[in-house]
Amino acid sequence: MREKGCYLGIDVGSVSTNLVIIDSYGNILEKLYLKTGGQPIKAIRSGINILADVFGQSIDILGAGTTGSGRQLANVIIGSDIVKNEITSHAVAAQKLVPNVRTILEIGGQDSKIILVRNGVVYDFAMNTVCAAGTGSFLDRQASRLEIPIEEFGKYALSSTLAVRIAGRCAVFAESDMIHKQQTGHSIEDIINGLCEALVRNYMNNLAKGKELAEPIVFQGGVAANQGIVAAFERELKAKIIIPEYYDVMGAYGAALMAREKMRHKAYKTNFVGFDISKKDYKVSTMECHDCSNMCELIKIISDDVVLARWGDRCGKWSELDRNYGQVSLGH
Amino acid sequence: MKVTFPHMGNTYIPVKALLDELGIEYVIPPFNNKKALELGTKYAPEMACLPLKINLGNFIQAHELGADLILISGGCGPCRFGYYGEMHREILKDLGFNMEVFTLDISKKDISGFLRNIKRITGEFKPYKILKAIKKTAEVSKQVDELERLSFKIRPREIVKGSADRIYKSFQNSVLNKKGAKEIKELIDFTRKNLLDIETDKSLDPIKIGIVGEIYTTNDPFTNFRIESRLGNEGAEVMRPVTVSGWIIDHMIKKALGLKGDESYKEAAKPYLGAMIGGHTQETIGNTVLLAKDGYDGIIQILPLGCMPEIVSESILPSIERDLNIPVLTLIIDEMTGEAGYLTRIEAFVDLLKRRKEEGLIAGKRMLSWN
């Protein structure tokens, strides 16, 4: 049966690139969680490829949304109808799955956020500012250093009897401290448990300070798969933590939902270029503009010898070129 | 002798007017840029705050253009800025640059010392000429601020996005070719007319955001990644109470003359902070309260990493956020700040404010219909 009216959401993050296809009711038909591996374009293309294999010609994409740190790039490649930041996307997705949610904890690859929702709208948020300790990449690194698969990492914490106190403020110091505790003979379980507690403590001090964390509390992002962190959050907050079904692709889900909302309100055709983007060739080149003292680093995306987009300039003279603004003189 | 001075947003315009009027030879450093920041970061102590680093870069770049005397103002509040002059002097000496540093610290106690310094630079002492130049400078700085405020109002409302940016940027560049307060004021008039000619949507009721925090990072667009222009182009009207003219007029001139400036912020800050504790903390707290009561939708606080006074503000702001129901976003900047993450936070904050405003309007309508 040909599914009418589907929407695509893509979240290009530092660690993972996620794709979600939803139907017109907002139900997820397919979700993909792929490693970005430092090559976002490749990840986007292979994601689209997989979706093309699964659905082939059986669905119509009526709208597409992109989010995550690579949202501009994804937008250029797939042609999306809405480009949104991660905070809004995560909030939209959480509200869909847990309609009365009031607090959203999100820990991804390189950043962590807290989002407070009141009366159905994002009321306040905070994002880690200075250090990425406690985010997915750091846990990944520790798991591989201890030679434990990341999927198992959290379980170790659950069998611990005592949490060793780890200095969690900074990723580098936390690692030295963990090594120190290993050398003094603490068990791996207790160290991992200690690390989970340190990271939660760090999160609470950095992001949640002065904020009222009302229930229901939802925890999402890749790190929500870590049972040790979940347990540490429950102990710290003395509350039940809800892990939504699609916790690992919430950004992409939110982007798809927003694309659906936008396209439903306004009757225009989607910008989505179609599933055959894998046949096209994409190149990225960088250059430094020397027209003024800012020396901006420019990124140029080229597909089949056509410049799709340029960005990175502070004055806008390069990025505007491709928006058909015509060449304008901007002083220096 | 060739004078130079540090950049901070539009400060170069009134300072240029002053030096032109006094007939002093000077070099304006290249606008704040990556190279200046790199130079400053290389030679300044790592824990020094960002403004010190950028200014150090300004001086080195000005030296390349022939400057040998640095004019900076001294800090009257107990923040690190107070010893910038000494720091810069020592660092530049260690690097082998032959540059003199002049600190214009105008305090009530030492106005004669200040005048002596001016005499040394101008080579003559004509109080009437100096006072006239200061008066003209104050006028220029006031007009520059008014022009900036006009751009804040135009940006969210303009039909063709980027129009105000283009005109304003062209002003900032062309002003370098003008000489003296009169020519600068003419250019300001010309620019104001151009800005007012931009076609705008007059029915639009944009969200309003107040910018508070440390003076350098809030006033300098290179440092804060052009936050005012970005917010404006995202459809937000911006207000920044702490400005260059406010600083020059209230902080320097009125203080020197023993006059009081506008101190309503002190009164407003009182329930949270009863004393001056350095930097612009009292302004940050007081202005946040005033803006919240004035119906602003949100507040953005900006500070350089490690800024002691603003760290205090940061810990007070959540109480105001709660008491007056106004969202506050804190942005901390240093030479390592990644632009992408910074912009994500700004974009999300604007989204939040827009949704809250819509929600508020809906709730407001509901209440009306109940009555």
Side-chain angles (χ1 to χ4, degrees), chain A residues 84 88 128 293 295 314, chain B residues 33-34 226 345 347 351:
Chain A
K84 268 284 167 204
T88 310
N128 62 330
S293 53
M295 294 179 294
R314 278 162 185 256
Chain B
N33 58 78
K34 223 160 54 179
R226 298 183 296 119
R345 286 164 179 82
E347 191 195 313
D351 264 6

Side-chain angles (χ1 to χ4, degrees), chain B residues 22 118-119 122-133:
Chain B
L22 291 174
I118 289 198
K119 189 184 164 191
T122 50
E124 52 181 12
F125 190 69
K126 291 183 179 155
Y128 178 68
K129 188 180 168 192
I130 295 173
L131 286 176
K132 220 170 109 187

Side-chain angles (χ1 to χ4, degrees), chain B residues 43 63 89-99:
Chain B
Y43 297 121
H63 184 260
R89 195 196 320 269
E90 290 301 316
I91 295 171
L92 291 167
K93 201 167 88 190
D94 286 350
L95 292 173
F97 289 114
N98 191 15
M99 292 179 98

Side-chain angles (χ1 to χ4, degrees), chain A:
Chain A
M1 193 191 89
R2 192 176 168 86
E3 190 75 49
K4 284 284 170 198
C6 291
Y7 300 88
L8 169 69
I10 302 189
D11 177 357
V12 182
S14 57
V15 173
S16 72
T17 294
N18 311 324
L19 294 91
V20 158
I21 298 267
I22 59 169
D23 65 17
S24 55
Y25 302 102
N27 302 313
I28 293 193
L29 301 179
E30 183 67 46
K31 64 165 188 137
L32 295 176
Y33 182 94
L34 309 168
K35 292 275 176 201
T36 307
Q39 301 185 54
I41 296 185
K42 203 175 150 200
I44 295 165
R45 287 172 75 183
S46 63
I48 294 284
N49 248 344
I50 298 171
L51 292 179
D53 286 347
V54 174
F55 294 104
Q57 298 299 314
S58 68
I59 57 168
D60 282 331
I61 299 292
L62 295 187
T66 59
T67 187
S69 46
R71 57 187 181 276
Q72 297 296 354
L73 183 70
N75 170 40
V76 169
I77 306 252
I78 68 151
S80 63
D81 303 299
I82 189 162
V83 182
K84 268 284 167 204
N85 61 81
E86 304 89 292
I87 292 159
T88 310
S89 307
H90 274 281
V92 166
Q95 282 175 286
K96 173 78 181 170
L97 293 180
V98 185
N100 55 348
V101 60
R102 299 184 75 199
T103 304
I104 302 164
L105 317 173
E106 199 271 341
I107 306 186
Q110 291 266 302
D111 56 41
S112 44
K113 347 176 164 49
I114 183 163
I115 306 167
L116 304 185
V117 182
R118 298 291 182 269
N119 306 319
V121 293
V122 174
Y123 172 85
D124 194 7
F125 72 85
M127 226 167 145
N128 62 330
T129 44
V130 186
C131 181
T135 56
S137 321
F138 176 64
L139 290 173
D140 254 349
R141 179 177 153 65
Q142 294 315 313
S144 71
R145 197 176 61 79
L146 297 170
E147 296 182 343
I148 298 170
I150 185 70
E151 296 78 18
E152 303 286 313
F153 197 68
K155 278 189 204 145
Y156 276 76
L158 299 183
S159 50
S160 147
T161 48
L162 177 90
V164 176
R165 202 168 169 89
I166 305 276
R169 177 169 291 283
C170 156
V172 177
F173 293 154
E175 182 172 315
S176 334
D177 206 24
M178 280 174 72
I179 293 172
H180 170 70
K181 296 281 156 47
Q182 275 175 280
Q183 318 286 43
T184 53
H186 288 281
S187 77
I188 290 287
E189 287 81 0
D190 288 350
I191 291 173
I192 293 179
N193 195 18
L195 179 66
C196 292
E197 295 216 326
L199 298 186
V200 166
R201 205 163 50 229
N202 198 10
Y203 181 97
M204 297 303 295
N205 287 337
N206 276 338
L207 298 178
K209 192 149 259 177
K211 302 202 188 305
E212 186 209 357
L213 276 59
E215 289 186 83
I217 302 171
V218 163
F219 181 22
Q220 58 198 42
V223 176
N226 186 312
Q227 292 139 313
I229 302 264
V230 176
F233 263 125
E234 290 194 324
R235 281 198 297 275
E236 172 73 32
L237 296 170
K238 295 178 185 67
K240 170 119 188 57
I241 306 272
I242 303 164
I243 315 282
E245 191 183 349
Y246 307 112
Y247 69 90
D248 54 345
V249 295
M250 295 294 270
Y253 186 34
L257 288 170
M258 280 186 285
R260 181 181 72 130
E261 190 186 315
K262 181 172 178 188
M263 301 311 278
R264 267 209 317 214
H265 282 314
K266 288 178 187 148
Y268 36 56
K269 208 174 158 294
T270 179
N271 295 322
F272 181 57
V273 294
F275 281 124
D276 55 353
I277 62 158
S278 52
K279 291 183 195 127
K280 283 192 192 159
D281 176 42
Y282 293 92
K283 274 200 217 99
V284 180
S285 70
T286 54
M287 65 168 262
E288 202 169 60
C289 171
H290 287 281
D291 291 359
C292 84
S293 53
N294 280 329
M295 294 179 294
C296 299
E297 286 155 17
L298 296 171
I299 311 277
K300 186 158 77 167
I301 313 278
I302 311 154
S303 167
D304 299 333
D305 295 327
V306 178
V307 177
L308 294 180
R310 267 179 278 227
W311 62 72
D313 49 340
R314 278 162 185 256
C315 65
K317 76 174 158 199
W318 293 98
S319 41
E320 282 182 7
L321 279 182
D322 310 303
R323 271 187 225 138
N324 308 322
Y325 278 22
Q327 192 149 9
V328 280
S329 166
L330 284 164
H332 74 221

